[in-house]
Amino acid sequence: MRCTILALGSRGDVQPLLALALGLKAAGHVVRFAAPADFEAWVEGHGLAFFRLTGRATAFFGGAAGTAMRDRLRDAAAFDRFFQDYLGTFLDKLLVSCWEACADAEAIFCWSWTRAGPSLAEKLDVPLFVVSPNPVLHLPTSGFANPFHGPAAPPLGPLYNRLSWRWAEPFTRIGQPQVDRWRTKVLGLPTLDWATELRRLRRLPHLFGYSPSVLAKPWDWGRDVHVTGYWFLDEPHGYTPPTDLAAFLAAGEPPVVVGFSSQVGQNAKRLTQAVVDGLAQSGRRALLVSGWGGLKHIALPPQIMRVANIPYDWLLPRCAAMAHQGGSGSAAAAFRAGIPSFAVPFGYDQALWGRRIARLGVGPRPIPATELLPKPFAQAIRRVCEDQAMRKKATALAARIAQEDGVSNAVAIVDRMTGTVARPRTALPDRTVIQLQGAM
C-alpha cells in the first residue's frame, strides 16, 4: 500500500511520525514522508522517500511568530486575527503542497489541524488515519480537560472536562476561507461546511502514539480510536559523544538534563538565568540542551555544561533526572529512561503531560514558564534527584512502557482496517510533482 504521511510541527511532533513511517515500511508498505525542509536529510537518512512541504519549522517555532501563535491559543478571536494576518497565505501554499504529496497515495496519515486530510481522502477515495502523539481538538472527553484552550484550571471533574473541549470548537474552524478556495480551485470539490467536516473527522480511525500506562483511552472515545503506545525512534547508528561531554559525564555524579526543545519564552535570557540560578541553588551538576533557542547563551558555572541536540535515548539513561517543557516526546523520553522529571510548560498540550507526571508520582507538579523563579526550580530539582519513592515509580513505569510496542500496534491496526496484507510494491520516486489544473 502506498502511504503518505503529512508531518508538520517541531522535531518533537515529527519524530514519532517518522518512527511510525519506518514501521509501515518494515511491514512492506511504500511510504512517502512529507514534512518541512528542515527534516529532509534526517528523513532520507532513514531510507524514506521525502516530499518537501511549504515552510521551515525551525525558523517558525524558534522565532517570534511561533511564540506569538502559541501565546494566542487561549483566545480564539486573537488567534484567528493572527492566523489571517500572518499564516493565511502560508496555508494556501501548504494545502497545495499537501495535495502534491498525496496525489497518488492509497492511504493518508495526518494530524487534523492541517485541515487537509478529510478533503484529500474525499478527492482520492482512500483511507485517512488521524495520527498524533497528543489528544486532538475535535475529540472531546470527560476523562481529562482540554489543555490547549480556556482557563488553566485545576482538575474539576468529568463535567468540567467535557465542557472544556467546547473552547476548542472555534479553533477547528480557523482557515476555512483557505480550505474552501483549495477545495474548489485545486481539488475540484464543492465547499465543505465546518460542521460536516467535524463529524467526518470524529468518525475517522485515530492512532495516538502515547502510552496507555501514562494516559489511558477515555471510555467516551469510539472503538476506532486507539492509544497504541509510544512511537519511539531509535537512530540506526551508534552515537559517539564529543570529548568534552564524555569528560563531563565521567567527572562526577550523573547530571540533571534541562531542555525546552523548540519552545522559546517571551524573555529567553531571563528564563535561562532563572534556570542557571536555580541549578546553582540546588547544588546539582547539569546539562543545558539548547534546542531551538529557548535557553540562551549566558555565562555558566563549571558544574553546568551547554550542549546542542543529543539523542535522548543515549543521554537520559546516563543522567539523574530531567526538566523539560512538557511536550509529549520529551516526557516520553524521560518515562522510557526510567528517570524522574518535571515540566516547565510554555503552552500547547504541555500542561497535560506535566500534570500526568505528577499524577503518576514520577515527578513534582509542573512550574509554568511564566512563573519560573530560581527557588521553586531548585526545590523541584532537589526533589527529582533525592526522592527515592519517585525514582522507584519512574523505574516501574519504564518497565511497563518497555512491554509496549506502539509502532507495531499501530501498523497492525492499519493493516486490519484497510484489509491490507503488506507486500513489496513499486517504489515511489523521491519527488512527485503533480501538474495542477487551475491551481492558485
Side-chain angles (χ1 to χ4, degrees):
M1 183 168 66
R2 293 190 303 272
C3 305
T4 295
I5 295 181
L6 300 175
L8 295 167
S10 67
R11 181 182 174 112
D13 302 318
V14 172
Q15 182 164 313
L17 299 186
L18 178 53
L20 177 61
L22 292 172
L24 289 166
K25 180 182 178 183
H29 300 291
V30 178
V31 182
R32 176 184 293 123
F33 199 87
D38 316 59
F39 305 110
E40 184 168 2
W42 184 36
V43 171
E44 291 185 339
H46 283 276
L48 290 174
F50 183 84
F51 188 96
R52 186 181 297 177
L53 296 178
T54 298
R56 287 190 172 272
T58 307
F60 181 77
F61 288 101
T67 302
M69 183 183 77
R70 181 195 68 213
D71 293 345
R72 285 164 173 77
L73 268 177
R74 294 194 177 275
D75 184 330
F79 186 84
D80 186 47
R81 288 194 298 272
F82 170 83
F83 186 93
Q84 296 303 332
D85 288 344
Y86 295 100
L87 298 179
T89 300
F90 166 77
L91 182 58
D92 283 330
K93 296 177 181 178
L94 175 64
L95 291 170
V96 171
S97 63
C98 286
W99 163 237
E100 293 173 346
C102 295
D104 61 350
E106 295 174 319
I108 299 170
F109 300 76
C110 73
W111 279 3
S112 60
W113 63 266
T114 64
R115 298 295 308 274
S119 297
L120 291 170
E122 178 186 352
K123 174 67 176 179
L124 297 170
D125 191 25
V126 298
L128 171 66
F129 293 86
V130 178
V131 290
S132 176
N134 312 301
V136 291
L137 299 182
H138 59 264
L139 282 185
T141 178
S142 59
F144 49 87
N146 172 5
F148 299 91
H149 311 114
L156 296 174
L159 179 59
Y160 170 82
N161 291 345
R162 185 79 184 190
L163 292 173
S164 72
W165 291 93
R166 291 190 178 182
W167 285 311
E169 290 186 358
F171 292 86
T172 63
R173 310 181 198 187
I174 289 171
Q176 193 65 47
Q178 289 80 10
V179 172
D180 285 343
R181 284 198 298 270
W182 173 64
R183 283 179 60 89
T184 56
K185 294 184 179 180
V186 176
L187 301 184
L189 298 173
T191 59
L192 180 65
D193 70 274
W194 164 80
T196 300
E197 181 177 340
L198 188 61
R199 286 194 297 271
R200 291 182 182 180
L201 274 171
R202 289 174 174 169
R203 290 195 296 264
L204 289 170
H206 289 64
L207 304 175
F208 289 116
Y210 55 81
S211 171
S213 297
V214 174
L215 184 63
K217 175 184 171 180
W219 67 270
D220 49 359
W221 281 356
R223 66 178 182 180
D224 289 336
V225 178
H226 305 274
V227 177
T228 66
Y230 285 113
W231 303 334
F232 288 120
L233 178 70
D234 293 319
E235 298 293 346
H237 306 295
Y239 175 75
T240 301
T243 303
D244 56 348
L245 173 58
F248 183 85
L249 290 171
E253 63 185 2
V256 176
V257 175
V258 181
F260 299 146
S261 188
S262 63
Q263 299 304 294
V264 179
Q266 293 287 357
N267 189 333
K269 187 174 182 179
R270 182 206 67 80
L271 187 76
T272 307
Q273 192 66 60
V275 166
V276 171
D277 291 345
L279 288 168
Q281 291 180 25
S282 76
R284 303 294 304 197
R285 288 166 20 101
L287 291 170
L288 298 188
V289 182
S290 55
W292 286 0
L295 292 172
K296 290 298 183 183
H297 289 255
I298 63 173
L300 298 176
Q303 70 271 24
I304 302 176
M305 180 180 178
R306 180 183 290 106
V307 294
N309 290 322
I310 295 175
Y312 277 162
D313 59 341
W314 181 92
L315 177 64
L316 295 188
R318 294 167 169 81
C319 298
M322 186 180 187
H324 50 78
Q325 81 285 6
S328 175
S330 296
F335 296 149
R336 188 188 196 190
I339 60 173
S341 72
F342 68 95
V344 180
F346 290 72
Y348 301 122
D349 60 316
Q350 295 158 14
L352 169 65
W353 303 114
R355 288 194 294 266
R356 292 307 301 164
I357 289 168
R359 183 69 179 270
L360 293 165
V362 297
R365 290 181 298 178
I367 305 173
T370 54
E371 301 173 16
L372 186 66
L373 295 171
K375 183 177 180 180
F377 190 75
Q379 291 171 338
I381 290 293
R382 283 194 291 267
R383 188 172 177 198
V384 292
C385 291
E386 299 170 5
D387 189 322
Q388 294 306 309
M390 190 175 287
R391 188 165 299 277
K392 185 176 180 180
K393 289 180 180 178
T395 301
L397 178 60
R400 294 197 300 274
I401 289 174
Q403 299 301 310
E404 302 167 358
D405 189 344
V407 170
S408 293
N409 291 339
V411 172
I413 292 165
V414 170
D415 286 345
R416 184 175 70 247
M417 298 192 75
T418 58
T420 300
V421 177
R423 59 179 64 88
R425 293 173 181 251
T426 303
L428 292 167
D430 289 341
R431 292 282 188 275
T432 299
V433 179
I434 308 298
Q435 297 299 321
L436 302 175
Q437 298 297 322
M440 292 174 287

